[in-house]
PDB file of all heavy atoms in Angstrom:
ATOM      1  N   THR A 128     -41.197 -31.978 -87.534  1.00 90.00           N
ATOM      2  CA  THR A 128     -40.011 -31.184 -87.159  1.00 90.00           C
ATOM      3  C   THR A 128     -39.929 -30.004 -87.961  1.00 90.00           C
ATOM      4  O   THR A 128     -40.535 -29.955 -89.118  1.00 90.00           O
ATOM      5  CB  THR A 128     -38.735 -32.047 -87.307  1.00 90.00           C
ATOM      6  OG1 THR A 128     -38.573 -32.280 -88.755  1.00 90.00           O
ATOM      7  CG2 THR A 128     -38.729 -33.268 -86.611  1.00 90.00           C
ATOM      8  N   ALA A 129     -39.110 -28.976 -87.581  1.00 89.00           N
ATOM      9  CA  ALA A 129     -39.058 -27.766 -88.264  1.00 89.00           C
ATOM     10  C   ALA A 129     -38.231 -28.074 -89.656  1.00 89.00           C
ATOM     11  O   ALA A 129     -38.657 -27.552 -90.727  1.00 89.00           O
ATOM     12  CB  ALA A 129     -38.375 -26.603 -87.581  1.00 89.00           C
ATOM     13  N   PHE A 130     -37.244 -28.843 -89.614  1.00 89.00           N
ATOM     14  CA  PHE A 130     -36.411 -29.190 -90.803  1.00 89.00           C
ATOM     15  C   PHE A 130     -37.375 -29.789 -91.868  1.00 89.00           C
ATOM     16  O   PHE A 130     -37.190 -29.425 -93.013  1.00 89.00           O
ATOM     17  CB  PHE A 130     -35.286 -30.154 -90.328  1.00 89.00           C
ATOM     18  CG  PHE A 130     -34.225 -29.441 -89.704  1.00 89.00           C
ATOM     19  CD1 PHE A 130     -33.645 -30.100 -88.704  1.00 89.00           C
ATOM     20  CD2 PHE A 130     -33.838 -28.225 -90.078  1.00 89.00           C
ATOM     21  CE1 PHE A 130     -32.575 -29.543 -88.013  1.00 89.00           C
ATOM     22  CE2 PHE A 130     -32.786 -27.632 -89.198  1.00 89.00           C
ATOM     23  CZ  PHE A 130     -32.187 -28.262 -88.328  1.00 89.00           C
ATOM     24  N   GLY A 131     -38.074 -30.806 -91.532  1.00 91.00           N
ATOM     25  CA  GLY A 131     -38.913 -31.517 -92.431  1.00 91.00           C
ATOM     26  C   GLY A 131     -39.805 -30.508 -93.183  1.00 91.00           C
ATOM     27  O   GLY A 131     -39.980 -30.401 -94.435  1.00 91.00           O
ATOM     28  N   GLY A 132     -40.512 -29.655 -92.384  1.00 93.00           N
ATOM     29  CA  GLY A 132     -41.400 -28.761 -92.994  1.00 93.00           C
ATOM     30  C   GLY A 132     -40.712 -27.619 -93.888  1.00 93.00           C
ATOM     31  O   GLY A 132     -41.196 -27.316 -94.975  1.00 93.00           O
ATOM     32  N   MET A 133     -39.497 -27.296 -93.499  1.00 92.00           N
ATOM     33  CA  MET A 133     -38.669 -26.426 -94.228  1.00 92.00           C
ATOM     34  C   MET A 133     -38.363 -27.007 -95.649  1.00 92.00           C
ATOM     35  O   MET A 133     -38.592 -26.330 -96.690  1.00 92.00           O
ATOM     36  CB  MET A 133     -37.482 -25.934 -93.472  1.00 92.00           C
ATOM     37  CG  MET A 133     -36.591 -24.934 -94.159  1.00 92.00           C
ATOM     38  SD  MET A 133     -35.134 -24.691 -93.107  1.00 92.00           S
ATOM     39  CE  MET A 133     -34.209 -26.154 -93.611  1.00 92.00           C
ATOM     40  N   GLY A 134     -37.885 -28.160 -95.580  1.00 93.00           N
ATOM     41  CA  GLY A 134     -37.530 -28.902 -96.761  1.00 93.00           C
ATOM     42  C   GLY A 134     -38.709 -29.076 -97.670  1.00 93.00           C
ATOM     43  O   GLY A 134     -38.796 -28.813 -98.885  1.00 93.00           O
ATOM     44  N   SER A 135     -39.893 -29.392 -97.123  1.00 95.00           N
ATOM     45  CA  SER A 135     -41.045 -29.629 -98.091  1.00 95.00           C
ATOM     46  C   SER A 135     -41.500 -28.253 -98.694  1.00 95.00           C
ATOM     47  O   SER A 135     -41.886 -28.285 -99.825  1.00 95.00           O
ATOM     48  CB  SER A 135     -42.199 -30.167 -97.192  1.00 95.00           C
ATOM     49  OG  SER A 135     -41.789 -31.273 -96.561  1.00 95.00           O
ATOM     50  N   SER A 136     -41.554 -27.262 -97.773  1.00 94.00           N
ATOM     51  CA  SER A 136     -41.973 -25.962 -98.357  1.00 94.00           C
ATOM     52  C   SER A 136     -41.107 -25.460 -99.417  1.00 94.00           C
ATOM     53  O   SER A 136     -41.578 -25.188-100.614  1.00 94.00           O
ATOM     54  CB  SER A 136     -41.950 -25.031 -97.154  1.00 94.00           C
ATOM     55  OG  SER A 136     -41.973 -23.713 -97.659  1.00 94.00           O
ATOM     56  N   ARG A 137     -39.777 -25.578 -99.244  1.00 93.00           N
ATOM     57  CA  ARG A 137     -38.892 -25.092-100.271  1.00 93.00           C
ATOM     58  C   ARG A 137     -38.909 -26.064-101.587  1.00 93.00           C
ATOM     59  O   ARG A 137     -38.978 -25.429-102.727  1.00 93.00           O
ATOM     60  CB  ARG A 137     -37.449 -25.122 -99.808  1.00 93.00           C
ATOM     61  CG  ARG A 137     -37.261 -24.139 -98.694  1.00 93.00           C
ATOM     62  CD  ARG A 137     -35.867 -24.064 -98.175  1.00 93.00           C
ATOM     63  NE  ARG A 137     -35.709 -23.031 -97.245  1.00 93.00           N
ATOM     64  CZ  ARG A 137     -34.633 -22.789 -96.498  1.00 93.00           C
ATOM     65  NH1 ARG A 137     -33.587 -23.574 -96.702  1.00 93.00           N
ATOM     66  NH2 ARG A 137     -34.506 -21.780 -95.665  1.00 93.00           N
ATOM     67  N   GLU A 138     -38.989 -27.347-101.388  1.00 94.00           N
ATOM     68  CA  GLU A 138     -39.088 -28.212-102.535  1.00 94.00           C
ATOM     69  C   GLU A 138     -40.312 -27.919-103.399  1.00 94.00           C
ATOM     70  O   GLU A 138     -40.249 -27.764-104.604  1.00 94.00           O
ATOM     71  CB  GLU A 138     -39.146 -29.689-102.011  1.00 94.00           C
ATOM     72  CG  GLU A 138     -39.250 -30.657-103.053  1.00 94.00           C
ATOM     73  CD  GLU A 138     -38.004 -31.227-103.686  1.00 94.00           C
ATOM     74  OE1 GLU A 138     -37.021 -30.667-103.310  1.00 94.00           O
ATOM     75  OE2 GLU A 138     -38.079 -32.075-104.510  1.00 94.00           O
ATOM     76  N   MET A 139     -41.394 -27.717-102.687  1.00 95.00           N
ATOM     77  CA  MET A 139     -42.693 -27.520-103.575  1.00 95.00           C
ATOM     78  C   MET A 139     -42.565 -26.004-104.210  1.00 95.00           C
ATOM     79  O   MET A 139     -43.090 -25.922-105.289  1.00 95.00           O
ATOM     80  CB  MET A 139     -43.897 -27.594-102.627  1.00 95.00           C
ATOM     81  CG  MET A 139     -44.271 -28.904-101.997  1.00 95.00           C
ATOM     82  SD  MET A 139     -43.916 -30.332-103.165  1.00 95.00           S
ATOM     83  CE  MET A 139     -45.464 -30.216-104.158  1.00 95.00           C
ATOM     84  N   MET A 140     -42.028 -25.103-103.552  1.00 94.00           N
ATOM     85  CA  MET A 140     -41.851 -23.846-104.200  1.00 94.00           C
ATOM     86  C   MET A 140     -40.975 -23.915-105.398  1.00 94.00           C
ATOM     87  O   MET A 140     -41.328 -23.521-106.469  1.00 94.00           O
ATOM     88  CB  MET A 140     -41.199 -22.832-103.176  1.00 94.00           C
ATOM     89  CG  MET A 140     -41.103 -21.439-103.635  1.00 94.00           C
ATOM     90  SD  MET A 140     -39.514 -21.067-104.513  1.00 94.00           S
ATOM     91  CE  MET A 140     -38.369 -20.892-103.185  1.00 94.00           C
ATOM     92  N   ILE A 141     -39.736 -24.596-105.336  1.00 94.00           N
ATOM     93  CA  ILE A 141     -38.938 -24.758-106.404  1.00 94.00           C
ATOM     94  C   ILE A 141     -39.636 -25.537-107.426  1.00 94.00           C
ATOM     95  O   ILE A 141     -39.531 -25.125-108.749  1.00 94.00           O
ATOM     96  CB  ILE A 141     -37.659 -25.393-105.951  1.00 94.00           C
ATOM     97  CG1 ILE A 141     -36.948 -24.519-105.055  1.00 94.00           C
ATOM     98  CG2 ILE A 141     -36.808 -25.796-107.112  1.00 94.00           C
ATOM     99  CD1 ILE A 141     -35.699 -25.244-104.343  1.00 94.00           C
ATOM    100  N   ALA A 142     -40.305 -26.594-107.091  1.00 94.00           N
ATOM    101  CA  ALA A 142     -41.030 -27.429-108.126  1.00 94.00           C
ATOM    102  C   ALA A 142     -41.968 -26.556-108.805  1.00 94.00           C
ATOM    103  O   ALA A 142     -42.158 -26.783-110.030  1.00 94.00           O
ATOM    104  CB  ALA A 142     -41.674 -28.528-107.500  1.00 94.00           C
ATOM    105  N   SER A 143     -42.743 -25.831-108.129  1.00 93.00           N
ATOM    106  CA  SER A 143     -43.911 -24.977-108.851  1.00 93.00           C
ATOM    107  C   SER A 143     -43.208 -24.180-109.905  1.00 93.00           C
ATOM    108  O   SER A 143     -43.945 -23.684-110.803  1.00 93.00           O
ATOM    109  CB  SER A 143     -44.700 -24.408-107.884  1.00 93.00           C
ATOM    110  OG  SER A 143     -44.036 -23.502-107.158  1.00 93.00           O
ATOM    111  N   LEU A 144     -41.982 -23.518-109.648  1.00 93.00           N
ATOM    112  CA  LEU A 144     -41.343 -22.738-110.642  1.00 93.00           C
ATOM    113  C   LEU A 144     -40.722 -23.552-111.802  1.00 93.00           C
ATOM    114  O   LEU A 144     -40.604 -23.041-112.849  1.00 93.00           O
ATOM    115  CB  LEU A 144     -40.368 -21.874-109.937  1.00 93.00           C
ATOM    116  CG  LEU A 144     -40.853 -20.859-108.919  1.00 93.00           C
ATOM    117  CD1 LEU A 144     -39.779 -20.064-108.371  1.00 93.00           C
ATOM    118  CD2 LEU A 144     -41.933 -19.919-109.528  1.00 93.00           C
ATOM    119  N   ALA A 145     -40.168 -24.615-111.423  1.00 94.00           N
ATOM    120  CA  ALA A 145     -39.480 -25.477-112.384  1.00 94.00           C
ATOM    121  C   ALA A 145     -40.375 -26.084-113.375  1.00 94.00           C
ATOM    122  O   ALA A 145     -40.045 -26.358-114.474  1.00 94.00           O
ATOM    123  CB  ALA A 145     -38.648 -26.433-111.639  1.00 94.00           C
ATOM    124  N   GLU A 146     -41.556 -26.558-112.813  1.00 92.00           N
ATOM    125  CA  GLU A 146     -42.486 -27.409-113.785  1.00 92.00           C
ATOM    126  C   GLU A 146     -42.822 -26.586-115.034  1.00 92.00           C
ATOM    127  O   GLU A 146     -42.890 -27.145-116.088  1.00 92.00           O
ATOM    128  CB  GLU A 146     -43.685 -27.824-112.957  1.00 92.00           C
ATOM    129  CG  GLU A 146     -44.136 -29.164-113.432  1.00 92.00           C
ATOM    130  CD  GLU A 146     -44.827 -30.035-112.396  1.00 92.00           C
ATOM    131  OE1 GLU A 146     -44.179 -30.537-111.448  1.00 92.00           O
ATOM    132  OE2 GLU A 146     -46.108 -30.062-112.406  1.00 92.00           O
ATOM    133  N   PRO A 147     -43.402 -25.285-114.942  1.00 93.00           N
ATOM    134  CA  PRO A 147     -43.738 -24.646-116.166  1.00 93.00           C
ATOM    135  C   PRO A 147     -42.568 -24.518-117.117  1.00 93.00           C
ATOM    136  O   PRO A 147     -42.676 -24.758-118.327  1.00 93.00           O
ATOM    137  CB  PRO A 147     -44.052 -23.160-115.603  1.00 93.00           C
ATOM    138  CG  PRO A 147     -44.306 -23.304-114.287  1.00 93.00           C
ATOM    139  CD  PRO A 147     -43.615 -24.408-113.749  1.00 93.00           C
ATOM    140  N   ALA A 148     -41.372 -24.310-116.593  1.00 94.00           N
ATOM    141  CA  ALA A 148     -40.125 -24.214-117.520  1.00 94.00           C
ATOM    142  C   ALA A 148     -39.840 -25.456-118.145  1.00 94.00           C
ATOM    143  O   ALA A 148     -39.653 -25.624-119.319  1.00 94.00           O
ATOM    144  CB  ALA A 148     -39.015 -23.681-116.609  1.00 94.00           C
ATOM    145  N   MET A 149     -39.949 -26.531-117.383  1.00 93.00           N
ATOM    146  CA  MET A 149     -39.684 -27.837-117.815  1.00 93.00           C
ATOM    147  C   MET A 149     -40.873 -28.248-119.008  1.00 93.00           C
ATOM    148  O   MET A 149     -40.326 -28.679-120.105  1.00 93.00           O
ATOM    149  CB  MET A 149     -40.015 -28.893-116.634  1.00 93.00           C
ATOM    150  CG  MET A 149     -39.997 -30.313-117.157  1.00 93.00           C
ATOM    151  SD  MET A 149     -38.264 -30.918-116.890  1.00 93.00           S
ATOM    152  CE  MET A 149     -38.487 -32.560-117.557  1.00 93.00           C
ATOM    153  N   LEU A 150     -42.124 -27.837-118.720  1.00 91.00           N
ATOM    154  CA  LEU A 150     -42.948 -28.182-119.653  1.00 91.00           C
ATOM    155  C   LEU A 150     -42.820 -27.305-120.978  1.00 91.00           C
ATOM    156  O   LEU A 150     -43.103 -27.882-122.080  1.00 91.00           O
ATOM    157  CB  LEU A 150     -44.338 -28.078-119.167  1.00 91.00           C
ATOM    158  CG  LEU A 150     -44.835 -29.298-118.329  1.00 91.00           C
ATOM    159  CD1 LEU A 150     -46.179 -29.080-117.663  1.00 91.00           C
ATOM    160  CD2 LEU A 150     -44.858 -30.528-119.197  1.00 91.00           C
ATOM    161  N   MET A 151     -42.327 -26.157-120.715  1.00 92.00           N
ATOM    162  CA  MET A 151     -42.192 -25.278-121.854  1.00 92.00           C
ATOM    163  C   MET A 151     -41.132 -25.825-122.856  1.00 92.00           C
ATOM    164  O   MET A 151     -41.160 -25.758-123.972  1.00 92.00           O
ATOM    165  CB  MET A 151     -41.832 -23.941-121.399  1.00 92.00           C
ATOM    166  CG  MET A 151     -42.063 -22.774-122.325  1.00 92.00           C
ATOM    167  SD  MET A 151     -43.841 -22.486-122.558  1.00 92.00           S
ATOM    168  CE  MET A 151     -43.787 -21.010-123.561  1.00 92.00           C
ATOM    169  N   ALA A 152     -39.993 -26.270-122.238  1.00 93.00           N
ATOM    170  CA  ALA A 152     -38.918 -26.939-123.001  1.00 93.00           C
ATOM    171  C   ALA A 152     -39.391 -28.142-123.698  1.00 93.00           C
ATOM    172  O   ALA A 152     -39.143 -28.415-124.905  1.00 93.00           O
ATOM    173  CB  ALA A 152     -37.803 -27.259-122.015  1.00 93.00           C
ATOM    174  N   ILE A 153     -40.200 -28.882-122.944  1.00 91.00           N
ATOM    175  CA  ILE A 153     -40.696 -30.118-123.611  1.00 91.00           C
ATOM    176  C   ILE A 153     -41.739 -29.757-124.719  1.00 91.00           C
ATOM    177  O   ILE A 153     -41.708 -30.488-125.771  1.00 91.00           O
ATOM    178  CB  ILE A 153     -41.372 -30.947-122.552  1.00 91.00           C
ATOM    179  CG1 ILE A 153     -40.472 -31.595-121.549  1.00 91.00           C
ATOM    180  CG2 ILE A 153     -42.346 -32.085-123.168  1.00 91.00           C
ATOM    181  CD1 ILE A 153     -41.032 -32.318-120.382  1.00 91.00           C
ATOM    182  N   PHE A 154     -42.429 -28.771-124.477  1.00 90.00           N
ATOM    183  CA  PHE A 154     -43.554 -28.336-125.584  1.00 90.00           C
ATOM    184  C   PHE A 154     -42.711 -27.981-126.862  1.00 90.00           C
ATOM    185  O   PHE A 154     -43.043 -28.221-127.933  1.00 90.00           O
ATOM    186  CB  PHE A 154     -44.207 -27.111-125.206  1.00 90.00           C
ATOM    187  CG  PHE A 154     -45.430 -27.507-124.160  1.00 90.00           C
ATOM    188  CD1 PHE A 154     -45.979 -26.550-123.312  1.00 90.00           C
ATOM    189  CD2 PHE A 154     -45.647 -28.936-123.918  1.00 90.00           C
ATOM    190  CE1 PHE A 154     -46.900 -26.993-122.483  1.00 90.00           C
ATOM    191  CE2 PHE A 154     -46.616 -29.279-123.068  1.00 90.00           C
ATOM    192  CZ  PHE A 154     -47.353 -28.363-122.250  1.00 90.00           C
ATOM    193  N   THR A 155     -41.529 -27.158-126.653  1.00 90.00           N
ATOM    194  CA  THR A 155     -40.793 -26.855-127.743  1.00 90.00           C
ATOM    195  C   THR A 155     -40.309 -27.991-128.544  1.00 90.00           C
ATOM    196  O   THR A 155     -40.583 -28.032-129.857  1.00 90.00           O
ATOM    197  CB  THR A 155     -39.564 -25.910-127.289  1.00 90.00           C
ATOM    198  OG1 THR A 155     -40.060 -24.926-126.426  1.00 90.00           O
ATOM    199  CG2 THR A 155     -38.859 -25.352-128.493  1.00 90.00           C
ATOM    200  N   VAL A 156     -39.896 -28.975-127.820  1.00 90.00           N
ATOM    201  CA  VAL A 156     -39.448 -30.237-128.577  1.00 90.00           C
ATOM    202  C   VAL A 156     -40.483 -30.832-129.250  1.00 90.00           C
ATOM    203  O   VAL A 156     -40.475 -31.289-130.332  1.00 90.00           O
ATOM    204  CB  VAL A 156     -38.507 -31.073-127.582  1.00 90.00           C
ATOM    205  CG1 VAL A 156     -38.096 -32.420-128.410  1.00 90.00           C
ATOM    206  CG2 VAL A 156     -37.482 -30.424-127.032  1.00 90.00           C
ATOM    207  N   SER A 157     -41.626 -31.018-128.462  1.00 89.00           N
ATOM    208  CA  SER A 157     -42.756 -31.795-129.223  1.00 89.00           C
ATOM    209  C   SER A 157     -43.553 -31.064-130.155  1.00 89.00           C
ATOM    210  O   SER A 157     -43.983 -31.647-131.090  1.00 89.00           O
ATOM    211  CB  SER A 157     -43.711 -32.194-127.906  1.00 89.00           C
ATOM    212  OG  SER A 157     -44.134 -30.990-127.337  1.00 89.00           O
ATOM    213  N   LEU A 158     -43.441 -29.755-130.278  1.00 87.00           N
ATOM    214  CA  LEU A 158     -43.893 -29.044-131.330  1.00 87.00           C
ATOM    215  C   LEU A 158     -43.031 -29.223-132.567  1.00 87.00           C
ATOM    216  O   LEU A 158     -43.526 -29.488-133.699  1.00 87.00           O
ATOM    217  CB  LEU A 158     -44.118 -27.484-131.026  1.00 87.00           C
ATOM    218  CG  LEU A 158     -45.284 -27.094-130.159  1.00 87.00           C
ATOM    219  CD1 LEU A 158     -45.125 -25.556-129.878  1.00 87.00           C
ATOM    220  CD2 LEU A 158     -46.526 -27.411-130.838  1.00 87.00           C
ATOM    221  N   ALA A 159     -41.739 -29.363-132.358  1.00 86.00           N
ATOM    222  CA  ALA A 159     -40.708 -29.433-133.456  1.00 86.00           C
ATOM    223  C   ALA A 159     -41.068 -30.876-134.039  1.00 86.00           C
ATOM    224  O   ALA A 159     -40.823 -31.098-135.211  1.00 86.00           O
ATOM    225  CB  ALA A 159     -39.304 -29.155-132.957  1.00 86.00           C
ATOM    226  N   CYS A 160     -41.445 -31.953-133.149  1.00 86.00           N
ATOM    227  CA  CYS A 160     -41.515 -33.181-133.644  1.00 86.00           C
ATOM    228  C   CYS A 160     -42.958 -33.602-133.848  1.00 86.00           C
ATOM    229  O   CYS A 160     -43.235 -34.728-134.300  1.00 86.00           O
ATOM    230  CB  CYS A 160     -40.927 -34.158-132.475  1.00 86.00           C
ATOM    231  SG  CYS A 160     -39.266 -33.842-132.269  1.00 86.00           S
ATOM    232  N   GLY A 161     -43.939 -32.909-133.423  1.00 85.00           N
ATOM    233  CA  GLY A 161     -45.301 -33.134-133.636  1.00 85.00           C
ATOM    234  C   GLY A 161     -45.837 -34.218-132.821  1.00 85.00           C
ATOM    235  O   GLY A 161     -46.803 -34.961-133.272  1.00 85.00           O
ATOM    236  N   SER A 162     -45.194 -34.461-131.691  1.00 88.00           N
ATOM    237  CA  SER A 162     -45.636 -35.500-130.716  1.00 88.00           C
ATOM    238  C   SER A 162     -45.146 -35.268-129.375  1.00 88.00           C
ATOM    239  O   SER A 162     -44.132 -34.597-129.081  1.00 88.00           O
ATOM    240  CB  SER A 162     -45.094 -36.859-131.336  1.00 88.00           C
ATOM    241  OG  SER A 162     -45.337 -37.836-130.351  1.00 88.00           O
ATOM    242  N   THR A 163     -45.898 -35.794-128.406  1.00 89.00           N
ATOM    243  CA  THR A 163     -45.278 -35.694-127.103  1.00 89.00           C
ATOM    244  C   THR A 163     -44.904 -37.041-126.637  1.00 89.00           C
ATOM    245  O   THR A 163     -44.316 -37.222-125.455  1.00 89.00           O
ATOM    246  CB  THR A 163     -46.412 -35.204-125.959  1.00 89.00           C
ATOM    247  OG1 THR A 163     -47.576 -36.130-126.110  1.00 89.00           O
ATOM    248  CG2 THR A 163     -46.768 -33.690-126.195  1.00 89.00           C
ATOM    249  N   SER A 164     -44.812 -37.964-127.437  1.00 88.00           N
ATOM    250  CA  SER A 164     -44.489 -39.407-127.133  1.00 88.00           C
ATOM    251  C   SER A 164     -42.908 -39.399-127.247  1.00 88.00           C
ATOM    252  O   SER A 164     -42.327 -38.962-128.274  1.00 88.00           O
ATOM    253  CB  SER A 164     -45.129 -40.326-127.941  1.00 88.00           C
ATOM    254  OG  SER A 164     -44.287 -41.508-128.053  1.00 88.00           O
ATOM    255  N   LEU A 165     -42.266 -39.948-126.156  1.00 88.00           N
ATOM    256  CA  LEU A 165     -40.809 -39.964-126.187  1.00 88.00           C
ATOM    257  C   LEU A 165     -40.123 -40.668-127.359  1.00 88.00           C
ATOM    258  O   LEU A 165     -39.307 -40.458-128.066  1.00 88.00           O
ATOM    259  CB  LEU A 165     -40.258 -40.503-124.932  1.00 88.00           C
ATOM    260  CG  LEU A 165     -39.994 -39.338-123.774  1.00 88.00           C
ATOM    261  CD1 LEU A 165     -39.712 -40.090-122.536  1.00 88.00           C
ATOM    262  CD2 LEU A 165     -38.861 -38.512-124.205  1.00 88.00           C
ATOM    263  N   SER A 166     -40.805 -41.927-127.542  1.00 87.00           N
ATOM    264  CA  SER A 166     -40.384 -42.762-128.646  1.00 87.00           C
ATOM    265  C   SER A 166     -40.396 -42.104-130.078  1.00 87.00           C
ATOM    266  O   SER A 166     -39.505 -42.261-130.773  1.00 87.00           O
ATOM    267  CB  SER A 166     -41.173 -44.118-128.651  1.00 87.00           C
ATOM    268  OG  SER A 166     -40.877 -44.769-127.564  1.00 87.00           O
ATOM    269  N   ARG A 167     -41.480 -41.415-130.191  1.00 87.00           N
ATOM    270  CA  ARG A 167     -41.736 -40.724-131.427  1.00 87.00           C
ATOM    271  C   ARG A 167     -40.745 -39.603-131.579  1.00 87.00           C
ATOM    272  O   ARG A 167     -40.059 -39.405-132.792  1.00 87.00           O
ATOM    273  CB  ARG A 167     -43.126 -40.218-131.496  1.00 87.00           C
ATOM    274  CG  ARG A 167     -43.604 -39.514-132.704  1.00 87.00           C
ATOM    275  CD  ARG A 167     -43.877 -40.432-133.820  1.00 87.00           C
ATOM    276  NE  ARG A 167     -43.943 -39.659-135.054  1.00 87.00           N
ATOM    277  CZ  ARG A 167     -43.630 -40.028-136.243  1.00 87.00           C
ATOM    278  NH1 ARG A 167     -43.249 -41.282-136.396  1.00 87.00           N
ATOM    279  NH2 ARG A 167     -43.805 -39.302-137.227  1.00 87.00           N
TER     280      ARG A 167
END
Side-chain angles (χ1 to χ4, degrees):
Chain A
T128 63
F130 286 141
M133 184 183 76
S135 307
S136 162
R137 291 178 175 180
E138 173 90 357
M139 294 316 286
M140 181 274 280
I141 293 172
S143 57
L144 295 177
E146 213 154 284
M149 174 91 183
L150 281 175
M151 204 66 174
I153 285 173
F154 287 164
T155 307
V156 179
S157 58
L158 281 176
C160 301
S162 170
T163 56
S164 149
L165 267 171
S166 295
R167 179 76 191 152

